[in-house]
Amino acid sequence: MRGYKFLAAAARSSTRLTWGQCVQHFGAGEPYEPLLEAMTRLCRQAGGDRFISIMERTGPTWLAQMPSLLSPERFAAFRQTVAGTTRDRMFRELTDTMESITAEDPLILLLEDLHWSDRSTLDWIAAFAQRPEAGRLLLIGTFRSSEVAGTDHPLANLPAELRMRDRCRQIVLGGLDPAAVQQYIAISYPS
């Protein structure tokens, strides 16, 4: 999270902040991996018990994917409750959970390196962004356009489709010049 001044300022406000990292896989990755990471991180923050309670009601299949948030006994009970859950149910439950979490406080969700994301995460982002209901969720996704341009990657067209519907803003960043690289290194790795 180094260097995100905006996010650091938001974290000091009443706005909740969480993030997940997409990781490059050389085989099959876990569906919803960065979202599971972000939701786990959110539940471990101060006041996270409230989010666990919300997930118990609106997203039990998600909570069952996060064993570190529950006691072993509670986790075993949850696993039995949600056995045989479908991807579609998880998809719907995440939307319900996000709407419930943001009913009281806005949330900033940062997903890094979406060019390495699994398809389930990208499908959820596309569907959630196109809902007609107003939301109190700011989703910030980073990706390298060079990784997806001219490919059949689902992220290749998603930003343009969402912009056409006025559901996203895209900020294209240029590379850093040598002075900016030196400044970044000095800030990131003080001697």
Side-chain angles (χ1 to χ4, degrees):
M1 295 296 298
R2 221 175 304 150
Y4 291 107
K5 291 180 184 178
F6 165 75
L7 296 175
R12 289 188 297 271
S13 73
S14 64
T15 302
R16 290 287 181 159
L17 167 67
T18 190
W19 67 94
Q21 177 75 45
C22 301
V23 178
Q24 184 176 22
H25 291 280
F26 298 101
E30 182 177 22
Y32 301 112
E33 185 174 11
L35 291 166
L36 286 165
E37 178 186 355
M39 296 301 286
T40 300
R41 185 171 279 121
L42 181 66
C43 291
R44 286 186 177 149
Q45 294 177 14
D49 288 344
R50 179 176 145 246
F51 304 122
I52 293 172
S53 177
I54 289 171
M55 279 199 295
E56 283 181 290
R57 286 189 327 273
T58 62
T61 59
W62 283 81
L63 195 52
Q65 303 299 313
M66 302 177 212
S68 65
L69 299 177
L70 302 171
S71 69
E73 298 79 24
R74 232 167 122 202
F75 177 69
F78 254 88
R79 294 292 290 187
Q80 288 179 344
T81 301
V82 299
T85 298
T86 64
R87 177 184 170 275
D88 292 335
R89 179 175 170 186
M90 285 191 74
F91 194 92
R92 184 183 72 252
E93 283 185 8
L94 180 58
T95 298
D96 293 345
T97 298
M98 286 298 189
E99 287 176 350
S100 296
I101 285 173
T102 60
E104 291 182 32
D105 297 312
L107 175 66
I108 298 173
L109 170 60
L110 171 64
L111 298 177
E112 293 270 21
D113 296 323
L114 285 172
H115 51 275
W116 289 329
S117 181
D118 61 280
R119 185 165 203 104
S120 297
T121 297
L122 296 175
D123 286 345
W124 180 80
I125 290 170
F128 192 80
Q130 295 179 65
R131 292 171 30 263
E133 295 83 18
R136 299 177 65 189
L137 173 73
L138 173 61
L139 191 147
I140 301 172
T142 68
F143 68 95
R144 289 186 220 138
S145 55
S146 62
E147 295 278 334
V148 299
T151 69
D152 64 347
H153 193 289
L155 195 54
N157 297 317
L158 181 59
E161 290 172 17
L162 293 177
R163 279 194 317 273
M164 283 187 342
R165 294 179 175 89
D166 198 29
R167 297 295 184 174
C168 98
R169 303 286 181 266
Q170 186 172 359
I171 302 170
V172 179
L173 303 177
L176 299 176
D177 62 30
V181 171
Q182 287 178 342
Q183 181 182 15
Y184 173 79
I185 291 171
I187 292 169
S188 300
Y189 306 101
S191 47

